[in-house]
Amino acid sequence: MSVVCANSCGWLLDSCSLLDEGLQRCVSHSDGLDKPKYFKCCFKREYFNTVRPHVQIQQNTDILTSTAKHSSGEHAKIDLQTRKKRKRKRRGLNTGELDAHIYHGKIRLVVLEGSRALLEAGRQCGYLTEVLTAPPSESMPSHECRLAALCDMAKQLPLTDESLMAPVQMLNRDGLDPSLDLFSYITENPFDCTYEVTLMKEKYLLPPRSRFLLSDITRMHPLVNSGDKFDLIVLDPPWENKSVKRSNRYSSLPSSQLKQLPVPALAAPECLVVTWVTNRAKHLRFIKEELYPYWAVEVLAEWLWVKVTQTGEFVFPLDSPHKKPYEVLVLGRHRSGTDRAVRSSAAEELPEQRLLISVPSVLHSQKPSLSAVLKPYISPEPKCLELFARSLQRDWTSWGNEVIKFQHSSYFTRERAEEPSMTSETVIIQ
């Protein structure tokens, strides 16, 4: 069950269960066999093996480093000289740091008390009660993703007339036709089971009824030309910050370029728009004061994703001056033209503040799915879209230049499953 428990404070989520939805029945034609292979998958649990708060791991590393440096008097003398040279004068908080400090003061008690209540409810359900003795591996194996580089190459090619007129291509009974263009069309798995397909010589798992467009921000035409209007749009922008520049994990996007996203063209009336934000105050201010008004989105709520270890501790100290154990989600509704005067019952019921608590993945920037918690606040049988996605979801459309990154087969364990009974559904698949 993806939602472990819920109360007036928010939800405690099992992120692994969220990722496993739709993977109980998978089929593969990729080995060139006439008869399909059936199996079931699970996202590898070791990617969520967060046992201790990160600051403790860092402190232990610092102790080991310090011991090695001071193993001799000479090294101690050199280290002391270095410390003196690097000593900086204390300075006051800059504007961004001051804004972040004020914001933290406003929500600190909400995070502390809400987390305590949800975590206690989770323990009573038997969740977060197992104390793991083995620490997580320092270097988890991960697939080398080349999708963004391929998108850069593909955007040099002109869009075909066919892709503008019929922007969606479907999986067929034998899997994905290798001649299909992943960069100019929305690719859809129309079946009710997960398909394993070979794309660019790599194997990926496509969840049931999922659709994706692999492109950068300059090649979103197929998504706009599809004519689909979405009831929910979730964005996880690659915000600019120093950590991203140092790590070089992915290309960031200036805030001003986010306005180029065709959100108004993709939004249905009363569309719920949700944006993940880093803890930089200027990014939060940009969304609320510039981006959402530019898109005609009315800000309605700010929720918090609180990250905890497998034993229920914050992954960073709550009052850490550097990194906080939470991230912000800004929620609003698209109000265009005459829709601005209309207030649907769902909009009125959207809570202004809620917590989402879960054990985070060790994979960079992998966010928990919001499908379960947002379901009450959108229309029945909604059309849902994720922008800047790095994974796919059942019944969702996803876009990004690494949109199938975490669908790579190396992130999953698998076990054999029995062939399904002959029904109308399996006849279509086979």
Side-chain angles (χ1 to χ4, degrees), residues 228-282:
D228 286 324
K229 299 291 184 178
F230 296 92
D231 304 292
L232 170 63
I233 300 177
V234 176
L235 304 93
D236 184 16
W239 297 103
E240 285 187 311
N241 60 59
K242 294 179 181 178
S243 175
V244 170
K245 290 180 180 179
R246 286 195 300 266
S247 64
N248 197 29
R249 289 190 182 101
Y250 56 80
S251 299
S252 58
L253 192 68
S255 298
S256 57
Q257 289 191 23
L258 291 177
K259 291 182 177 181
Q260 298 177 20
L261 292 169
V263 168
L266 296 169
E270 292 291 294
C271 170
L272 181 61
V273 180
V274 183
T275 305
W276 291 94
V277 196
T278 64
N279 286 320
R280 294 193 68 180
K282 75 171 188 177

Side-chain angles (χ1 to χ4, degrees), residues 19 366-367 386 388-393 398 402-407:
L19 291 170
Q366 188 179 32
K367 302 294 196 302
E386 183 175 7
F388 302 104
R390 294 181 181 88
S391 61
L392 307 181
Q393 299 185 64
S398 304
E402 293 183 332
V403 68
I404 52 175
K405 176 177 180 177
F406 295 134
Q407 299 304 135

Side-chain angles (χ1 to χ4, degrees), residues 60-130:
N60 291 341
T61 304
D62 292 342
I63 291 171
L64 293 174
T65 305
S66 177
T67 303
K69 284 183 177 180
H70 295 80
S71 58
S72 67
E74 182 181 356
H75 286 185
K77 184 177 181 181
I78 294 173
D79 184 65
L80 184 60
Q81 292 174 349
T82 304
R83 285 175 179 268
K84 287 181 178 180
K85 288 181 181 179
R86 292 182 178 178
K87 189 175 182 181
R88 297 179 181 178
K89 294 182 179 180
R90 291 186 177 181
R91 60 172 178 80
L93 299 177
N94 60 36
T95 303
E97 292 169 337
L98 183 59
D99 288 345
H101 180 72
I102 293 172
Y103 182 81
H104 177 70
K106 292 178 179 178
I107 56 93
R108 182 185 185 278
L109 194 60
V110 173
V111 174
L112 190 62
E113 294 186 351
S115 299
R116 183 183 295 119
L118 279 167
L119 291 171
E120 180 58 31
R123 291 189 180 97
Q124 291 178 3
C125 296
Y127 191 70
L128 297 176
T129 56
E130 182 181 358

Side-chain angles (χ1 to χ4, degrees), residues 167 186 213 220-229 261-263 265-266:
I186 297 171
L213 173 63
M220 297 183 69
H221 312 82
L223 192 56
V224 177
N225 294 335
S226 70
D228 286 324
K229 299 291 184 178
L261 292 169
V263 168
L266 296 169

Side-chain angles (χ1 to χ4, degrees), residues 177-188:
D177 185 340
S179 66
L180 296 179
D181 183 356
L182 296 176
F183 303 96
S184 303
Y185 295 84
I186 297 171
T187 302
E188 179 175 350

Side-chain angles (χ1 to χ4, degrees), residues 121-390:
R123 291 189 180 97
Q124 291 178 3
C125 296
Y127 191 70
L128 297 176
T129 56
E130 182 181 358
V131 178
L132 303 179
T133 56
S137 172
E138 293 183 1
S139 58
M140 295 294 299
S142 60
H143 169 63
E144 181 182 357
C145 183
R146 299 179 293 110
L147 297 174
L150 291 173
C151 284
D152 283 338
M153 295 172 60
K155 71 181 181 181
Q156 306 302 323
L157 302 174
L159 284 172
T160 62
D161 293 338
E162 289 81 2
S163 68
L164 296 176
M165 296 175 60
V168 180
Q169 59 189 5
M170 300 274 190
L171 290 179
N172 56 42
R173 291 182 303 173
D174 300 322
L176 191 64
D177 185 340
S179 66
L180 296 179
D181 183 356
L182 296 176
F183 303 96
S184 303
Y185 295 84
I186 297 171
T187 302
E188 179 175 350
N189 173 15
F191 302 116
D192 292 329
C193 65
T194 294
Y195 250 78
E196 183 184 57
V197 296
T198 301
L199 310 175
M200 298 162 289
K201 300 181 180 180
E202 300 283 352
K203 290 186 177 181
Y204 295 89
L205 293 166
L206 308 186
R209 301 177 301 279
S210 61
R211 308 196 313 165
F212 70 90
L213 173 63
L214 179 61
S215 78
D216 73 353
I217 197 171
T218 67
R219 299 291 291 263
M220 297 183 69
H221 312 82
L223 192 56
V224 177
N225 294 335
S226 70
D228 286 324
K229 299 291 184 178
F230 296 92
D231 304 292
L232 170 63
I233 300 177
V234 176
L235 304 93
D236 184 16
W239 297 103
E240 285 187 311
N241 60 59
K242 294 179 181 178
S243 175
V244 170
K245 290 180 180 179
R246 286 195 300 266
S247 64
N248 197 29
R249 289 190 182 101
Y250 56 80
S251 299
S252 58
L253 192 68
S255 298
S256 57
Q257 289 191 23
L258 291 177
K259 291 182 177 181
Q260 298 177 20
L261 292 169
V263 168
L266 296 169
E270 292 291 294
C271 170
L272 181 61
V273 180
V274 183
T275 305
W276 291 94
V277 196
T278 64
N279 286 320
R280 294 193 68 180
K282 75 171 188 177
H283 292 156
L284 181 59
R285 189 165 53 247
F286 168 75
I287 289 178
K288 296 169 65 176
E289 298 177 5
E290 293 188 50
L291 187 63
Y292 274 19
Y294 183 79
W295 287 340
V297 173
E298 179 186 0
V299 177
L300 296 175
E302 291 179 31
W303 293 0
L304 297 165
W305 173 35
V306 182
K307 294 173 273 189
V308 298
T309 68
Q310 290 188 347
T311 55
E313 299 177 87
F314 293 134
V315 295
F316 291 104
L318 182 57
D319 298 317
S320 168
H322 304 295
K323 289 189 176 183
K324 296 292 190 291
Y326 56 79
E327 294 186 33
V328 183
L329 297 90
V330 181
L331 299 89
R333 289 199 183 273
H334 184 251
R335 317 282 197 189
S336 60
T338 57
D339 294 333
R340 288 178 177 271
V342 178
R343 296 294 183 268
S344 69
S345 58
E348 295 296 335
E349 294 171 0
L350 186 69
E352 292 185 8
Q353 203 165 49
R354 285 291 185 271
L355 303 182
L356 291 81
I357 302 179
S358 69
V359 179
S361 168
V362 298
L363 297 168
H364 182 73
S365 197
Q366 188 179 32
K367 302 294 196 302
S369 169
L370 301 176
S371 56
V373 299
L374 294 178
K375 187 176 180 179
Y377 311 112
I378 52 181
S379 61
E381 299 182 3
K383 288 187 176 181
C384 303
L385 170 67
E386 183 175 7
L387 301 178
F388 302 104
R390 294 181 181 88

